[in-house]
Structure formats: C-alpha cells, structure tokens
Amino acid sequence: MAANSDWPVPLVILLHGLGATGAVWHGVAAELGATFNVLAPDLPGHGAADSGSPYSVGHLAAAVAAVLPPTTPWYVAGHSLGGYVAVALASGWFGNPPLAALSLGAKLRFTQAERARAADMTRRPASCYRTRAEATARYRRVAGLPPSMPLDDSHFDRGVRADADGFRLNHDPASYGIVVPSFRALLSVAVSPVFVVRGELDPMVTRLECEELPAPFEELSGLGHNAHVEHPELTAALLRRVFAR
C-alpha cells in the first residue's frame, strides 16, 4: 500500500472485506475518481500486502494509517471486515482521524459455530489449484462474490497468484482467525461521524440490527452483501452524498 503525499484533498480510502482485495472497489473507485483521489489498498494478509499474523482490527487499522499523508484530510469506507477497520480509524487512535467513516455490510453478530469454523480455517494449509480458473472460482467463494456476478480480470489479478505448483489465493489463511471487537464499542470511541449502510437483501446483517446502532443508517435498495460490486454507481452516489454532509 502506498499513498502519494502530493495528492490534493479530498482523499477517499476504500477497505475490502475478509478474503477479498482492494480490487473489489474497482467500479466504485472509477465512479469517485472524477471527484476524489481514491486509494483501495489490500489489507495485511490479502492480495499484494504482507502477512500480518496475529491479526486484529487494530493491526489492520494501523497498517492503513501508516500509509496516509499525515496532513491530508480524508474519508474512509469499508465493507464487512473493512467496515470494522473504518470505524476503528474513526477513533483517532491511529493518527489523523477521517472527516467521516462509513461501514457497509458489517456483520454485527457471530455465533459460536461461526467462530469455531473460522478458527478451523486458520489451521488449514493454503490450497494449490491446477488452473487459474479453479483458483479464481475459489477466490470468488472466499471473497463472497457469486459466480453469476460478472467481474473483469482486475478483480482476480490481486487475489490469485501463480507459483511452481499451480495457482494459489493471495490470502493468508491465518487471517480467518481475526476476532472483531464489539461494533457498538467502536462507535462509542469514534471522534469522526460514522455512517452505517447495508444492502436491502444482505443476509449477513439485518435492518433491525443496524437501526439499533447509535449511528445514522441507510439501506441500498435491491442490493445484497456485496453492494459495492453489484452496483458501483449506486454505491458511489451514496458515498458522495454521505461525505458531502
């Protein structure tokens, strides 16, 4: 990850979810590019970024903060796990806080079975696939991108790599072991305005769960968990409107 300290303001940071890469924000970044300077980095353990085990939301937030120009006003939006990181950055604990933070599709409740399954995945060795097609199909599943969702190669170039044995995901399995803090607790220490957004059809988090949070809430009509990939134009329009507040 690297930011150009010569960029004029405003700067928007877009953070991906667990198992994905910054490339999932490609469409939104293209929409925002006429108005903002945009950076969609790979979080530690994902894509081109270094591994960061042991993983924590604080560690990921510190990695993002480390590449920000120290005096540049900025905004941040994060999807799923990236939403937790965005709200953590809004605390100001990691340096200059954002002007505003937005969380999209962050899962708020986890069952014991879900936590146990995630812990089990950290112990599995990284799989090797014979063909790039097989690896990209797996990357889709890990990143939560349905086979029916059309994507160009930019989504996969950072998520899949070739090696001597075949193809592997650019993803450290140890990152599945991350245990996120209470979202409400993160909100309570935020010094920047925080906005919460979900896709209307998102099975990961309910409308009621979001409405119960002490933060402004909006819903993207007709979209699911990966609203930013499903409809980049609508998602970008929401970001522009929220950040303009």
Side-chain angles (χ1 to χ4, degrees):
M1 296 186 294
N4 186 339
S5 60
D6 294 327
W7 281 350
V9 293
L11 172 65
V12 174
I13 306 296
L14 302 173
L15 304 176
H16 62 80
L18 183 64
T21 70
V24 296
W25 286 102
H26 175 77
V28 173
E31 290 290 320
L32 294 177
T35 310
F36 301 99
N37 290 300
V38 182
L39 180 65
D42 295 337
L43 294 173
H46 298 74
D50 294 333
S51 62
S53 184
Y55 292 94
S56 69
V57 168
H59 171 78
L60 301 186
V64 174
V67 301
L68 292 173
T71 60
T72 299
W74 59 291
Y75 302 93
V76 62
H79 172 249
S80 199
L81 172 62
Y84 279 85
V85 179
V87 181
L89 287 162
S91 69
W93 292 349
F94 303 93
N96 181 34
L99 297 174
L102 183 144
S103 169
L104 169 63
K107 183 176 172 64
L108 301 177
R109 295 177 183 171
F110 299 85
T111 67
Q112 287 296 100
E114 287 171 333
R115 293 190 186 278
R117 187 164 58 249
D120 178 64
M121 293 176 73
T122 68
R123 295 186 286 269
R124 300 179 185 177
S127 299
C128 183
Y129 300 90
R130 185 174 55 85
T131 66
R132 187 172 186 270
E134 291 172 318
T136 55
R138 178 59 181 166
Y139 172 73
R140 274 185 179 270
R141 291 194 295 272
V142 168
L145 305 171
S148 59
M149 189 179 293
L151 302 172
D152 60 43
D153 280 349
S154 68
H155 290 84
F156 304 120
D157 288 343
R158 283 156 70 175
V160 173
R161 71 176 188 272
D163 64 19
D165 300 320
F167 296 85
R168 299 180 187 274
L169 302 194
N170 266 343
H171 177 214
D172 181 2
S175 66
Y176 285 120
I178 189 170
V179 177
V180 296
S182 160
F183 195 90
R184 186 179 289 269
L186 288 176
L187 283 174
S188 71
V189 296
V191 297
S192 306
V194 175
F195 300 84
V196 175
V197 179
R198 76 179 282 268
E200 179 190 13
L201 307 179
D202 190 345
M204 305 289 287
V205 58
T206 69
R207 179 185 180 94
L208 179 60
E209 289 170 344
C210 293
E211 289 178 332
E212 289 175 339
L213 294 171
F217 165 64
E218 292 197 35
E219 205 166 55
L220 287 166
S221 178
L223 300 181
H225 184 61
N226 288 284
H228 55 314
V229 181
E230 298 167 42
H231 203 316
E233 298 85 0
L234 189 61
T235 305
L238 182 144
L239 291 178
R240 281 193 294 266
R241 177 163 48 81
V242 167
F243 291 155
R245 295 180 187 178

